[in-house]
Amino acid sequence: MDSSRQTKFLVAAVLLLLVPRFSYAIPAFSRQYGTSCTTCHIDFPKLNDFGKAFKDAGFKFPKDDESFLKAPPIMLGAPAQAELWPHTVYPGVIPGLPPIGLRYNTFFQQASANRNNFNAVLPVGTVGTFIPKSDFQPGLFSIFTAGNFGSGISFWVDDDISVAGANSNGGLGDGWVKFNNISRLFKLPTDSLSLRVGQFELDIPFSQARTWNMSGWDIFDEANIGVQNGLAPLQNVNNGFAFSSPAVGLELSGGHAYGGYHYSVAVVGQNTSGAAANPPNVSPQNGVAFASDSNFKDLYGRFSYRFNLERDKASRTDIQAAGATGPRDHTSLALGTFYYYGRSVQSLSGVLADGVTPTVLTAREPFYRIGGDVNFNYRTFNLFGVYLAGHDHNLLPVTSGEAEGPTGFVVSNPATFSGGFVEADYLALPWMMAIMRWDVVKSSADRVNFIEYDPAAPPSSSFFSPYSATRNRFTPGVQFLIHANIKASFEYQIRPKQIVYDPATGTALTQPFRTNLATAGLEWVY
Amino acid sequence: MKRNALVGLIALAALTTAAYAGTIHGKVSGVSGESVVYVEAIAGKTFPAPAQHVLIDQKGLMFAPHIVAVAQGTTVDFLNSDSVAHNVFWISISGNKKLGHNLGTWPKGQKQSFKFDNPGVVPLLCNVHPEMAAYVIVSPTPYFATTDKSGEYKIENVPDGAYTVTAWHEGAKYKSNPVKVAGDTTADFTLSK
Ligand SMILES: [Cu+2]
């Protein structure tokens, strides 16, 4: 069990280090409306206020959408058919042009000289993992499709075609349908209630799946996985949940991203262990497996409020503020909070109280994530951040007396982590955005995973690990729009301090060091 | 009744001017679509600013019409017919950056006016929608015409005399030719990119 967790952690660490993120802009909309990417994006895929309103409206212009469509939608039934309902299929539309966007990116990366220090833990003569000094990466080819079916029903599917794996590492990203503004059916205020069904990134304050950064924010990638070792306090957490993974379920939401309140409440399936059941006696719908590993469904909620700060009321409440020389994004301050509650499942073989009869012991550990966020915008300067705290109950398997295996669980110190990020984006020119980021993660699980390594109690093996309980990362970057749909990005990740110990003796094999990484990327969407 | 009288008056005026003025007509070739042909400034002659306003609409994320020819001194009304914010600005008039101007932004259904006192080519842009573009060709004389799609044009009521006549087409090099107008005169232009 330990070694598999270590592998998981190692793989995650390597992926975090090496795989640049991907991002989206939707050329399908550009085609439907005959307009530039910059109508909705500042340095795509970062949305401007108009883009946020377009998204809130279900991928439609907030008002008079039909008058902007360059290719009229195809009617799936004349609008007058609606009067016949329920004796006919309710009329809808599909986009007049296939709503397909494509994206490709390619990378070059350069790692610092000490990048192979981890091989020092291997016995002499063992072939280790080789990280090249520089590397060309093919990147990803993705297809994404999104649009509106009429009656406020919008849809989104994105998929990475070229890379093996799933979720944020390739494969299906988001795939959902959203019933926008169902509040109108209940005579509630416009846009106060929408329903989304499918696979989606949780409504986190800043999208990791559609981030403009080359590397994602560390805190949204943080899973609470802690191996058991000789260090106190003991822990037994194997909770693969991270905000960057897509969730599957239902979401109710309302409000607007460009001003005023916004909320969402979601009920999602959980699979914190990574194990999917594939039983022979039932046929799961996808023909492969069940997606959840528990009866319990996890809950997520978010509330935020954005204050637009213009003095003039018309300007303040409009989608964009009226500037002296043309509309611009609002000067605004947004505050938000979010909360996730779930249970992580860990099953292991144990014995009954008699000490011999085999049984399966299952820990259903409650866990929560709670966070707050702030987002300040002044003209082309955007300062924002997230603080997130995670808490897992931490049930430890115990063996009573002379039993041949674990007989139950006891509550130990919770496995917690906290951290977040602060980022400043400055759009110096319409085609150039400078970025400075500080990511921080402080994790008890990470600490026990060899971080504050105790030479008196050597661990059984060694692997990639931060040097201290707190991982800091500074990431300056700059991005250039070569065209509205072609972007060159640069990022320099100043990584956390690390150290390599001899797993047998606990002797430090290296001085503390950092493996910094410079990445250059080229991305185009069409 | 009143209207008939007015039409009659206009017809009479046209007849009297026709007695001493000529017509320039011809074809602009080498390019496709609409071009603008106008008579350059005439030494010692000024013209009163036309009272009639000309309208340019912003509708469906497009300027309409795309090309507008007006006489110097004409006031153009810019209307926003869209429920999104637009803007109108130009960085120069015939390359003169000192004549650049930004009209700002205004809501649906409202107009903003500008009097074009300087002749030249005004490339209109919107700073929200970079794909939006239009041209106002401010003719220094009231003798101008927009060609039809095939390039044919006709400028009427041009007094007999010697002039410089310019043909302009979006994206092509403009061409100025000397033209001696005596009654019905032909002037063809061949433009190239
Ligand atoms: Cu516009």
Side-chain angles (χ1 to χ4, degrees):
Chain A
M1 183 165 69
D2 278 3
S3 73
S4 88
R5 281 191 200 174
Q6 284 173 6
T7 309
K8 219 178 193 178
F9 190 85
L10 178 66
V11 166
V14 170
L15 284 174
L16 282 179
L17 186 66
L18 295 181
V19 176
R21 282 277 156 184
F22 34 91
S23 50
Y24 302 90
I26 313 300
F29 299 148
S30 207
R31 277 189 267 278
Q32 308 288 355
Y33 292 94
T35 193
S36 177
C37 321
T38 58
T39 297
C40 288
H41 295 279
I42 314 157
D43 187 47
F44 76 87
K46 190 173 186 180
L47 292 170
N48 63 22
D49 283 351
F50 186 81
K52 287 172 184 170
F54 182 85
K55 191 180 168 199
D56 283 346
F59 304 133
K60 281 182 130 181
F61 273 51
K63 273 183 238 161
D64 307 329
D65 181 69
E66 339 55 68
S67 70
F68 297 101
L69 282 168
K70 296 297 180 289
I74 308 297
M75 297 283 171
L76 305 180
Q81 286 267 346
E83 285 174 44
L84 260 174
W85 198 83
H87 301 289
T88 189
V89 177
Y90 201 86
V93 298
I94 55 172
L97 287 167
I100 290 171
L102 303 168
R103 183 191 128 264
Y104 185 77
N105 53 26
T106 188
F107 299 96
F108 174 76
Q109 36 201 8
Q110 180 95 20
S112 50
N114 47 34
R115 64 199 176 275
N116 287 311
N117 276 8
F118 293 99
N119 288 340
V121 301
L122 299 171
V124 178
T126 309
V127 178
T129 307
F130 175 75
I131 301 173
K133 179 148 189 64
S134 61
D135 182 41
F136 291 100
Q137 256 211 26
L140 299 168
F141 178 69
S142 314
I143 183 165
F144 42 104
T145 169
N148 194 288
F149 291 137
S151 308
I153 302 173
S154 59
F155 65 96
W156 171 293
V157 182
D158 68 78
D159 194 90
D160 297 319
I161 297 168
S162 64
V163 169
N167 303 334
S168 56
N169 299 325
L172 183 67
D174 278 15
W176 48 257
V177 67
K178 185 170 180 180
F179 301 87
N180 293 79
N181 190 23
I182 54 172
S183 32
R184 71 187 190 279
L185 307 175
F186 307 107
K187 307 238 180 332
L188 293 166
T190 304
D191 292 341
S192 62
L193 186 66
S194 297
L195 169 68
R196 181 157 71 150
V197 183
Q199 174 161 307
F200 47 82
E201 180 184 50
L202 289 169
D203 175 33
I204 52 180
F206 304 95
S207 171
Q208 182 91 317
R210 281 162 290 282
T211 180
W212 48 94
N213 289 306
M214 297 186 80
S215 55
W217 294 292
D218 290 344
I219 195 68
F220 289 145
D221 281 325
E222 184 71 6
N224 213 353
I225 296 174
V227 293
Q228 292 182 76
N229 65 21
L231 291 176
L234 278 173
Q235 61 183 22
N236 178 44
V237 284
N238 188 25
N239 184 353
F241 168 80
F243 278 109
S244 60
S245 310
V248 191
L250 302 172
E251 178 198 76
L252 293 171
S253 63
H256 294 123
Y258 63 86
Y261 78 92
H262 168 79
Y263 76 88
S264 68
V265 180
V267 178
V268 297
Q270 61 154 260
N271 192 326
T272 53
S273 66
N278 185 16
N281 58 332
V282 287
S283 300
Q285 269 310 300
N286 63 13
V288 180
F290 287 96
S292 302
D293 63 357
S294 161
N295 291 331
F296 189 78
K297 293 289 158 277
D298 291 0
L299 302 166
Y300 177 75
R302 164 157 176 75
F303 182 82
S304 66
Y305 200 93
R306 179 170 139 170
F307 302 90
N308 290 334
L309 303 174
E310 280 76 26
R311 281 207 192 93
D312 174 56
K313 182 161 189 282
S315 180
R316 190 169 65 232
T317 51
D318 211 350
I319 287 164
Q320 285 165 300
T325 58
R328 55 170 170 80
D329 276 5
H330 289 279
T331 297
S332 63
L333 177 69
L335 301 169
T337 180
F338 55 106
Y339 181 79
Y340 188 95
Y341 178 83
R343 290 190 199 158
S344 83
V345 176
Q346 295 181 80
S347 294
L348 52 102
S349 302
V351 291
L352 294 178
D354 64 12
V356 286
T357 314
T359 188
V360 172
L361 298 173
T362 301
R364 292 185 174 85
E365 296 190 350
F367 69 94
Y368 64 78
R369 306 283 180 264
I370 186 162
D373 54 279
V374 59
N375 189 354
F376 173 74
N377 191 68
Y378 178 73
R379 302 290 168 98
T380 56
F381 177 74
N382 187 201
L383 179 69
F384 56 96
V386 163
Y387 174 81
L388 174 67
H391 182 285
D392 280 55
H393 195 58
N394 191 21
L395 293 171
L396 290 180
V398 287
T399 306
S400 59
E402 299 298 303
E404 290 172 5
T407 48
F409 296 98
V410 289
V411 178
S412 180
N413 291 338
T416 60
F417 70 87
S418 62
F421 60 85
V422 178
E423 175 168 338
D425 293 351
Y426 175 57
L427 196 74
L429 288 163
W431 48 270
M432 182 174 82
M433 189 162 90
I435 299 169
M436 184 64 210
R437 267 169 69 191
W438 175 53
D439 281 78
V440 58
V441 179
K442 190 178 164 69
S443 157
S444 69
D446 286 359
R447 180 169 61 248
V448 176
N449 294 345
F450 298 63
I451 291 163
E452 280 176 356
Y453 175 74
D454 178 5
S460 57
S461 67
S462 186
F463 49 86
F464 266 149
S465 68
Y467 174 60
S468 95
T470 304
R471 280 184 280 143
N472 286 291
R473 169 157 79 101
F474 287 94
T475 314
V478 63
Q479 307 191 345
F480 301 95
L481 290 177
I482 295 169
H483 284 180
N485 69 325
I486 311 170
K487 185 160 86 169
S489 305
F490 302 90
E491 189 178 276
Y492 188 66
Q493 299 174 25
I494 302 167
R495 305 291 311 178
K497 241 189 210 173
Q498 297 162 313
I499 196 164
V500 177
Y501 292 99
D502 184 319
T505 64
T507 319
L509 296 174
T510 66
Q511 295 293 317
F513 65 95
R514 296 172 191 274
T515 303
N516 296 343
L517 186 74
T519 308
L522 195 56
E523 159 151 2
W524 57 101
V525 292
Y526 53 100
Chain B
M1 189 62 195
K2 241 182 190 171
R3 171 180 275 207
N4 281 347
L6 188 68
V7 169
L9 262 173
I10 289 169
L12 187 69
L15 272 175
T16 45
T17 43
Y20 63 86
T23 300
I24 310 174
H25 64 87
K27 188 171 172 143
V28 179
S29 50
V31 290
S32 67
E34 288 183 353
S35 303
V36 173
V37 182
Y38 59 90
V39 175
E40 291 285 6
I42 306 162
K45 252 192 145 175
T46 54
F47 301 93
Q52 188 90 34
H53 287 204
V54 170
L55 185 86
I56 296 181
D57 199 358
Q58 287 178 297
K59 197 169 167 44
L61 304 185
M62 287 188 285
F63 283 104
H66 181 62
I67 292 168
V68 181
V70 299
Q72 188 173 351
T74 301
T75 299
V76 176
D77 295 335
F78 293 95
L79 171 69
N80 179 6
S81 290
D82 276 342
S83 53
V84 300
H86 285 296
N87 155 262
V88 178
F89 76 102
W90 53 93
I91 53 165
S92 64
I93 296 182
S94 283
N96 182 352
K97 296 213 168 177
K98 283 191 187 127
L99 301 176
H101 190 72
N102 192 322
L103 285 176
T105 184
W106 52 97
K108 183 179 183 175
Q110 290 187 17
K111 283 180 203 163
Q112 198 88 328
S113 300
F114 188 85
K115 189 162 176 275
F116 287 94
D117 285 327
N118 293 97
V121 177
V122 189
L124 303 177
L125 294 170
C126 164
N127 68 13
V128 191
H129 307 107
E131 74 281 1
M132 291 176 69
Y135 294 89
V136 179
I137 315 307
V138 184
S139 165
T141 62
Y143 313 124
F144 62 87
T146 303
T147 70
D148 62 16
K149 291 257 158 66
S150 66
E152 302 278 358
Y153 76 94
K154 191 176 188 184
I155 307 172
E156 288 178 330
N157 302 327
V158 185
D160 290 355
Y163 306 109
T164 303
V165 180
T166 298
W168 172 93
H169 186 91
E170 178 177 3
K173 290 188 197 92
Y174 70 90
K175 197 168 253 180
S176 296
N177 288 344
V179 176
K180 202 161 208 172
V181 178
D184 204 9
T185 310
T186 304
D188 291 336
F189 294 85
T190 305
L191 301 183
S192 60
K193 296 265 170 189

